């Protein structure tokens, strides 16, 4: 069964889960990898569409349009035109033709940093950067290299590519970690209902496949910017439901019927009837012809080991 057909059965066919448990570990990891690629592509596509709608173009186009020409050379920073942005979250003021910090005191910088989440203030000689975590002041004369708009664009694009790879790895690792946790819950449930022969590895496989529907729904809701109360808990319950049904389906296919268990108990190691069963009828017949009286001195044992009464001995 190929990966995409398994995805279909993982969502719509609970009875297919026992067959998933027979998959090798490599195929299970491949399934999770392919599913994560699909989910990550959906996430990237939604971010890309949202960015283009807000900005009007791609990242490269937006960089060229909205970032003015600048250059840092010989310890001096130059900008083609001043930049000034003041919103609720961002404060940006860059002017290399004037001394921006001359009119700002330390108290002013503290106040601006407290009012905004991100702050960038710069002139030709110095730059002040702050966020919710740190505040940094940097003098350009300490810079040993030269940068311009083109070189920074290359760094930005490379950083985005690296960020995409890291984001995918984080999503993939998170999927496996969640599956491990779900498998622990499934293992406890399996022990409770008596599926003691069901190993953790098989339940982990059930978790990998069982998280398919919840992961797809969660990704689609985020992509379309939709949500409903306690949605994350609903997706967790969906995954647990699939694991519970998978364990039940496995038990149904792998539990030996009670009649077969009884028949097996009546046989020895070689599959033959036990010796006691072979002579069971004979012993019952002997018990019908003789009766046993414990601790009677006037009775004698017969050759077959049973004790005969005086009447029986006289009759002989």
């Amino acid at each position: 069964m190929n990966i995409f057909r398994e995805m279909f059965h993982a969502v719509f066919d609970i009875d297919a889960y026992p067959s998933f448990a027979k998959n090798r570990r490599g195929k299970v990891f491949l399934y999770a990898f392919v599913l994560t690629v699909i989910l990550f592509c959906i996430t990237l596509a939604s971010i890309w569409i949202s960015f283009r709608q807000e900005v009007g173009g791609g990242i490269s186009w937006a960089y060229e349009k909205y970032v003015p020409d600048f250059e840092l050379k010989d310890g001096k920073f130059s900008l083609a035109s001043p930049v000034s942005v003041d919103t609720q979250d961002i404060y940006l003021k860059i002017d290399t033709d004037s001394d921006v910090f001359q009119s700002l005191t330390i108290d002013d910088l503290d106040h601006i940093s407290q009012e905004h989440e991100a702050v960038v203030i710069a002139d030709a000689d110095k730059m002040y950067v702050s966020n919710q975590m740190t505040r940094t002041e940097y003098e350009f004369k300490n810079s040993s290299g030269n940068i311009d708009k083109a070189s920074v664009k290359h760094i930005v694009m490379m950083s985005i590519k690296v960020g995409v790879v890291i984001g995918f790895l984080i999503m993939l690792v998170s999927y496996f970690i969640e599956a491990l946790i779900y498998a622990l819950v499934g293992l406890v449930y399996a022990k409770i209902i008596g599926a003691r022969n069901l190993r953790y590895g098989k339940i982990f496989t059930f978790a990998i496949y069982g998280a398919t529907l919840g992961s797809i729904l969660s990704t689609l809701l985020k992509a379309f910017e939709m949500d409903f109360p306690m949605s994350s808990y609903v997706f967790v319950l969906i995954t647990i439901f699939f694991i519970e049904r998978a364990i039940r389906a496995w038990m149904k296919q792998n539990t030996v019927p009670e009649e077969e268990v009884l028949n097996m108990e009546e046989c020895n190691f070689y599959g033959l009837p036990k010796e006691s069963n072979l002579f069971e009828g004979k012993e019952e017949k002997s018990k019908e012809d003789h009766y046993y009286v414990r601790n009677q001195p006037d009775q004698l044992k017969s050759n077959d080991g049973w004790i005969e009464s005086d009447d029986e001995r006289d009759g002989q």
Side-chain angles (χ1 to χ4, degrees):
M1 188 182 300
N2 61 45
I3 298 296
F4 297 101
R5 183 174 296 179
E6 285 186 341
M7 289 183 186
F8 176 83
H9 286 283
V11 176
F12 298 104
D13 187 9
I14 293 293
D15 292 333
Y17 275 76
S19 64
F20 295 156
K22 300 177 183 178
N23 290 344
R24 294 185 177 181
R25 187 175 301 175
K27 187 174 184 180
V28 175
F29 277 76
L30 179 62
Y31 178 91
F33 180 84
V34 173
L35 179 61
T36 305
V37 169
I38 295 173
L39 299 178
F40 190 70
C41 288
I42 294 174
T43 303
L44 279 184
S46 64
I47 295 174
W48 176 257
I49 293 173
S50 178
F51 182 84
R52 289 183 67 90
Q53 289 177 346
E54 293 182 5
V55 177
I59 298 175
S60 180
W61 177 86
Y63 182 86
E64 294 293 341
K65 181 177 181 179
Y66 294 105
V67 177
D69 291 332
F70 63 89
E71 183 182 31
L72 176 59
K73 185 177 181 180
D74 299 331
K76 289 289 184 179
F77 180 67
S78 61
L79 189 66
S81 58
V83 176
S84 181
V85 177
D86 189 356
T87 64
Q88 183 177 359
D89 299 327
I90 300 175
Y91 183 88
L92 180 63
K93 186 175 183 180
I94 303 175
D95 188 356
T96 58
D97 296 328
S98 63
D99 190 355
V100 175
F101 293 96
Q102 185 176 4
S103 59
L104 295 175
T105 63
I106 296 178
D107 293 336
D108 294 334
L109 294 176
D110 291 339
H111 177 73
I112 294 173
S113 299
Q114 293 174 1
E115 294 293 326
H116 301 81
E117 294 184 2
V119 177
V120 177
I121 303 174
D123 57 15
D125 301 312
K126 187 168 56 176
M127 175 181 289
Y128 174 83
V129 179
S130 72
N131 51 41
Q132 297 296 320
M133 301 295 295
T134 61
R135 299 180 185 181
T136 305
E137 189 172 315
Y138 180 77
E139 294 185 359
F140 295 120
K141 65 180 181 180
N142 297 325
S143 177
S144 57
N146 299 327
I147 61 174
D148 55 15
K149 182 178 178 179
S151 60
V152 172
K153 179 183 178 180
H154 177 72
I155 296 174
V156 170
M157 299 304 294
M158 286 297 299
S159 300
I160 293 175
K161 294 177 182 178
V162 173
V164 168
V165 175
I166 294 175
F168 171 76
L169 293 177
I170 291 175
M171 179 177 286
L172 180 62
V173 172
S174 300
Y175 192 87
F176 282 114
I177 292 175
E178 291 176 1
L180 290 171
I181 297 174
Y182 285 131
L184 288 174
V185 177
L187 182 63
V188 174
Y189 176 76
K191 298 301 181 184
I192 292 175
I193 65 175
R196 303 187 182 277
N197 293 329
L198 186 56
R199 303 297 183 183
Y200 178 79
K202 294 185 183 298
I203 302 178
F204 175 74
T205 301
F206 293 158
I208 291 291
Y209 288 90
T212 301
L213 180 60
S215 299
I216 292 175
L217 293 177
S218 176
T219 302
L220 290 177
L221 284 180
K222 292 178 181 178
F224 291 101
E225 297 181 354
M226 301 171 59
D227 198 6
F228 57 87
M230 302 181 70
S231 59
S232 59
Y233 296 101
V234 172
F235 299 139
V236 170
L237 291 177
I238 289 175
T239 302
I240 293 177
F241 170 79
F242 272 89
I243 296 174
E244 188 270 338
R245 292 290 88 191
I247 294 174
R248 291 286 185 179
W250 185 91
M251 290 182 63
K252 183 178 179 181
Q253 293 189 12
N254 292 273
T255 301
V256 180
E258 185 177 356
E259 295 80 2
E260 295 185 14
V261 174
L262 294 176
N263 293 335
M264 292 173 61
E265 291 178 350
E266 295 174 357
C267 299
N268 59 18
F269 177 78
Y270 300 99
L272 300 175
K274 294 181 180 179
E275 184 178 358
S276 60
N277 296 333
L278 291 175
F279 296 97
E280 181 178 357
K282 182 177 179 181
E283 291 178 356
E284 292 179 353
K285 185 176 180 180
S286 299
K287 291 179 181 178
E288 292 177 358
D289 298 336
H290 305 277
Y291 60 90
Y292 179 79
V293 181
R294 186 183 300 272
N295 299 327
Q296 298 294 330
D298 57 343
Q299 293 175 334
L300 300 175
K301 283 188 177 181
S302 62
N303 293 332
D304 58 359
W306 292 98
I307 299 177
E308 296 179 335
S309 64
D310 294 337
D311 295 337
E312 289 179 335
R313 189 166 58 251
D314 296 338
Q316 293 178 0

